[in-house]
Amino acid sequence: MLKPLSVQLYSLRARAEKDFAAVLKDVAAMGYKGVEPAGFWNIRPSQLKKIVEDLGMKIYSSHSPWCRGNNIGECMDIADMLGLKTIVCGYGPDDFKDMDAIKRTADISNRMQAELERNGFTLFQHNHYWEFDRLDGRLKYDIYSELVPKMKFQIDCFWSTNKGTEDSVAILKKYADRTILLHMKDGVCKQNAANGGMVNGLLDMKVDLLPLGTGTLPIKDLIAVMPEQVETVIVELDYCNIDMTEAIAQSYRYMVQNGLAAGNK
């Protein structure tokens, strides 16, 4: 059964800052079944939920707010307004730089997870590329995942390749039992190892990202091994080599016309 196709609205942040309602209408017109907000641009979360549903879409998950351990109450309140029982977290490169950092990060994650679980929420983690560096020959994410046995994952399949050094299909299979959401972007997987990092607290990969179906990520193979419990496949492009609205529309067409996900058109 095909999973519904959603879009991470961070992809369209430049337009959303100016006219968020127009962005939502455009995404619905493309045929997307769902959205994943990353910022609300002066629209109340409860109002956003109504707008999205009136457009024939659904909010499947949200990257706003981002759970940090000191804002759990805020996260639960906003999740309630969005009609969600899942809350996201994620970490920077320094949080995975060595074994001590990984253990500290795991401790933070476990505390958040326990508190959210007590209140009926599921915590999931969104990855970037640095979690898939190796420490003494082991994937850092393998070490971390053993320390956070109740954490669920939103696997970003492109970043999981760690600039082409890892097998994204094998990684998805490895974490299949704990993966509840997928992020799908495309581009040139094999990258210069010196590229990427954080600039002013924001991810700055400096890698080539492309509309889905025009890069080297094995998207069809990934969909073939996607865990059954994955609720939606989410298109995300942090940036692109063409106009972002067209890139998101082109990505929709690739996924739906190739029978990789379900859309409304």
Side-chain angles (χ1 to χ4, degrees):
M1 180 178 176
L2 295 180
K3 301 294 183 177
L5 190 64
S6 299
V7 61
Q8 164 54 262
L9 294 173
Y10 178 79
S11 307
L12 297 165
R13 61 196 178 279
R15 286 188 58 208
E17 290 177 358
K18 300 173 183 176
D19 193 341
F20 193 21
V23 166
L24 295 170
K25 290 177 183 177
D26 284 351
V27 166
M30 291 174 195
Y32 278 96
K33 280 187 169 292
V35 297
E36 184 180 60
F40 300 119
W41 289 283
N42 300 318
I43 295 178
R44 292 176 62 196
S46 55
Q47 182 186 7
L48 175 61
K49 181 176 184 291
K50 184 179 186 305
I51 293 170
V52 168
E53 291 176 351
D54 286 348
L55 288 168
M57 300 185 295
K58 177 179 176 180
I59 297 176
Y60 282 96
S61 62
S62 180
H63 277 199
S64 291
W66 195 269
C67 198
R68 302 183 301 275
N70 60 352
N71 65 337
I72 291 178
E74 176 192 13
C75 290
M76 292 189 291
D77 287 344
I78 292 178
D80 272 339
M81 286 186 273
L82 294 174
L84 298 174
K85 285 297 182 182
T86 57
I87 291 174
V88 69
C89 70
Y91 299 97
D94 286 347
D95 299 308
F96 279 81
K97 67 180 179 181
D98 55 29
M99 184 62 77
D100 287 342
I102 293 171
K103 288 179 178 178
R104 285 194 300 271
T105 301
D107 287 342
I108 293 169
S109 297
N110 284 327
R111 288 196 296 271
M112 292 192 299
Q113 187 279 325
E115 182 64 26
L116 290 171
E117 184 180 42
R118 280 193 293 272
N119 286 278
F121 291 93
T122 297
L123 182 66
F124 70 91
Q125 184 163 336
H126 176 73
N127 66 273
H128 299 98
Y129 72 87
W130 45 79
E131 296 95 330
F132 296 94
D133 285 337
R134 289 184 177 266
L135 183 63
D136 296 329
R138 294 190 68 198
L139 285 177
K140 292 180 177 180
Y141 217 47
D142 284 350
I143 298 168
Y144 171 79
S145 66
E146 291 174 1
L147 297 172
V148 290
K150 291 188 175 183
M151 178 71 77
K152 301 299 182 183
F153 299 127
Q154 178 184 65
I155 297 294
D156 187 304
C157 294
F158 185 85
W159 291 153
S160 76
T161 71
N162 192 13
K163 305 172 190 174
T165 62
E166 303 296 337
D167 182 340
S168 58
V169 175
I171 285 171
L172 183 54
K173 287 181 177 179
K174 178 181 293 187
Y175 299 114
D177 290 346
R178 298 167 64 179
T179 298
I180 61 172
L181 294 161
L182 286 188
H183 263 206
M184 202 69 72
K185 52 174 58 75
D186 206 353
V188 180
C189 290
K190 188 67 176 177
Q191 297 288 338
N192 183 335
N195 287 348
M198 300 291 285
V199 176
N200 295 325
L202 299 174
L203 183 65
D204 181 25
M205 285 296 298
K206 295 188 177 70
V207 299
D208 298 323
L209 295 181
L210 306 167
L212 269 62
T214 62
T216 61
L217 188 73
I219 295 174
K220 293 181 180 180
D221 294 338
L222 287 160
I223 295 296
V225 301
M226 178 175 55
E228 179 57 35
Q229 72 272 11
V230 168
E231 191 173 6
T232 183
V233 178
I234 303 167
V235 175
E236 182 193 38
L237 293 170
D238 299 66
Y239 43 82
C240 196
N241 65 330
I242 64 171
D243 174 76
M244 187 61 79
T245 301
E246 174 54 32
I248 293 302
Q250 187 174 325
S251 297
Y252 173 88
R253 293 192 295 269
Y254 170 77
M255 294 295 289
V256 173
Q257 292 173 6
N258 284 280
L260 302 173
N264 284 329
K265 295 177 68 174

